[in-house]
DNA sequence: AGGGAATTTTGACACAGATCAAGCTATGGC
DNA sequence: GCCATAGCTTGATCTGTGTCAAAATTCCCT
């Protein structure tokens, strides 16, 4: 479960605010939580948890990007979630996971052991209520993504993806318009997220560059020059007009 | 939220067992719940709740099939959930819905007013725990569907859809192999569920009929003749072998 | 029962995106 | 700094599914 919420738990060591904990929780409860925590780091590409694994800990992403994905026997894979810093990995009341969690970039997690965390959830109504809210947020996001996967064109998928990055980069402040952004994924990972091939992702991205909608500093860093035309029809590159 | 769970609440009037309520709940609690309930009926095609509507009641589907869907401005729609009898509609802690709920067939709902239900959730830990479990089930199902929408072929989509119907028909008993089943949706609705067009759905269904994998009694009722080949490659209709 | 609308089937064709195949360009390790 | 490798771009071609159109079937209403 990836979690996005406006509550916070700032512990001394973590550079981000944890979003999985209810803002109303008392400091005592926070203390109990921070006591059971440890850090874990993963290199880009490393598996974090595997489908069917027993769930030994829940975690907040402190740095980097992790992905949730499902893979078919023949290798086709579909990403079903992206975990950015401050997002939460965990399934309240569950002891197994149903998908693979992989480090997309180098990732640092702030982990809480599963059992104590569950116990705390059981005794903290605010927290369990908050977790329910988070699960429903996830569900809404998943459904929005189903619309994208089932009905949008390649161009629209890319546009939605970039829009999501813009929105997520606005966390703690709305100044992100036209600022430099980073694609946190390779072309192949983006393709797996959007239900496309890496070639199609590359072509669409370069088309938007040619159309002056995006500007690339390097393969990863870019800027949105024209939000209005992000969702435009493709084609129509009519770079000369009528020849008479 | 569509809900599928092995707990039950059998109230005197409803022909099905409600799945949204924790099996451990006391009869007092059930009594409180049944007091605030009413029935509502909808004709096939009628909207039940609309995106953005205030959530006035939560409900169990008693009869018929309802769908959750999202629609784009230009009319493209994607179904994001199917509600079969005993499934639950509701978003614990939320007062709005994020998608359209429509009666796919004639539908009867057993409704509980939102406020009293929420109050009861707040004072019944078992219930809220159970609802969390349901939300996570929904999330797992949504992610499975994302894999289908993003990566499966038309044939595979149809096969998965039929498989889902078989599994769901097995509720309360596992005798469903090879029994007569019903497509609860029109070709167009199936298409909207699978991210296809109605023509493609029709063609695939008829191909599977020609290949003797499915047998149709009429447009809606059918039987699965060969589960093994449900997921087979298409093509290879080689209906005679080599001509020499 | 009959007529009209809705649904489904079927065909011909188009096209978005996949696939296959080079070549290119960054990047990290030595 | 240089090489090896992973990542990316670009081109040519193919194909599964969409689109458009029309006919066939079923359903439902009077």
């Amino acid at each position: 479960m990836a979690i996005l919420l406006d509550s916070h738990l700032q512990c001394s060591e973590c550079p981000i605010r944890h979003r999985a904990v209810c803002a109303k929780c008392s400091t005592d409860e926070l203390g109990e939580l921070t006591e059971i925590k440890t850090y874990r780091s993963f290199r880009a590409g490393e598996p974090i948890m595997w489908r069917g694994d027993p769930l030994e800990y829940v975690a907040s992403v402190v740095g980097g990007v992790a992905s949730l994905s499902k893979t078919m026997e023949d290798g086709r894979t579909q990403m079903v979630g992206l975990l950015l810093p401050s997002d939460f990995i965990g399934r309240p009341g569950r002891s197994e996971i149903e998908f693979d969690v992989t480090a997309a970039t180098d990732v640092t997690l702030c982990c809480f052991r599963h059992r104590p965390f569950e116990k705390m959830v059981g005794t903290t109504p605010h927290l369990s209520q908050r977790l329910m809210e988070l699960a429903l947020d996830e569900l809404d996001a998943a459904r929005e993504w189903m619309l994208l996967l089932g009905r949008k064109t390649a161009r629209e998928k890319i546009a939605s993806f970039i829009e999501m990055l813009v929105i997520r980069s606005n966390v703690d402040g709305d100044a992100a318009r036209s600022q430099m952004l980073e694609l946190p994924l390779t072309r192949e990972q983006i393709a797996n997220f959007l239900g496309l091939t890496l070639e199609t992702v590359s072509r669409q991205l370069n088309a938007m560059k040619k159309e002056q909608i995006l500007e690339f500093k390097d393969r990863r860093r870019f800027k949105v020059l024209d939000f209005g035309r992000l969702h435009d029809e493709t084609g129509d590159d009519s770079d000369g007009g009528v020849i008479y």
Side-chain angles (χ1 to χ4, degrees), chain A:
Chain A
M1 181 165 62
I3 266 162
L4 171 62
L5 193 74
D6 58 345
S7 64
H8 59 278
L9 163 56
Q10 180 81 59
C11 39
S12 46
E13 306 108 305
C14 294
I16 51 93
R17 286 158 180 269
H18 298 238
R19 287 174 151 148
V21 179
C22 174
K24 298 177 200 155
C25 293
S26 76
T27 9
D28 281 355
E29 287 159 350
L30 299 190
E32 191 185 328
L33 240 193
T34 52
E35 254 171 50
I36 58 170
K37 95 177 181 186
T38 57
Y39 281 102
R40 274 169 228 234
S41 285
F42 300 86
R43 309 305 308 274
E46 262 190 282
I48 294 175
M49 306 177 190
W50 220 246
R51 175 174 176 163
D53 281 357
L55 196 61
E56 281 167 12
Y57 48 90
V58 299
S60 269
V61 177
V62 169
V65 177
S67 69
L68 310 184
S69 57
K70 307 205 117 215
T71 302
M72 297 169 69
E73 318 74 48
D74 64 2
R76 283 176 283 176
T77 87
Q78 176 64 50
M79 229 181 252
V80 297
L82 250 201
L83 299 165
L84 306 187
S86 83
D87 278 344
F88 181 75
I89 309 173
R91 292 159 63 75
R94 298 288 178 91
S95 55
E96 267 200 12
I97 46 178
E98 287 293 313
F99 38 77
D100 306 327
V101 185
T102 313
T105 64
D106 291 352
V107 166
T108 306
L109 301 182
C110 172
C111 303
F112 307 97
R113 278 187 298 118
H114 185 247
R115 289 303 183 80
F117 185 83
E118 287 287 355
K119 208 182 92 199
M120 188 178 162
V121 172
T123 59
T124 316
H126 292 150
L127 182 48
S128 76
Q129 201 176 311
R130 190 51 57 109
L131 287 170
M132 170 60 93
E133 209 172 315
L134 298 173
L136 291 179
D137 282 346
E138 273 293 289
L139 202 42
D140 287 343
R143 284 170 168 155
E144 194 65 41
W145 218 248
M146 286 170 70
L147 175 62
L148 176 143
L149 291 171
R151 292 304 187 197
K152 293 191 182 176
T153 64
R155 160 64 71 112
E156 291 169 327
K157 287 178 175 181
I158 298 281
S160 298
F161 178 63
I162 289 174
E163 212 169 40
M164 188 200 71
L165 291 178
V166 172
I167 290 168
R168 288 295 314 246
S169 78
N170 283 1
V171 167
D172 294 332
D174 202 39
R177 296 264 135 182
S178 248
Q179 84 184 20
M180 202 52 97
L181 295 172
E182 181 157 3
L183 290 176
L185 304 175
T186 66
R187 303 293 186 261
E188 187 176 21
Q189 291 167 331
I190 295 171
N192 284 339
F193 198 25
L194 299 177
L196 297 171
T197 59
L198 74 174
E199 292 96 329
T200 298
V201 170
S202 177
R203 278 187 250 266
Q204 291 292 340
L205 246 19
N206 284 88
M208 290 170 107
K209 178 173 138 194
K210 200 169 295 174
E211 292 171 36
Q212 313 242 23
I213 296 169
L214 301 180
E215 180 177 69
F216 282 85
K217 181 184 172 183
D218 59 31
R219 289 284 169 23
R220 293 297 193 97
R221 299 206 132 276
F222 71 100
K223 203 181 279 193
V224 182
L225 298 179
D226 189 341
F227 280 90
R229 288 193 301 137
L230 247 189
H231 291 278
D232 267 11
E233 324 297 325
T234 182
D236 244 331
D237 199 6
S238 58
D239 48 344
V242 182
I243 305 172
Y244 225 76

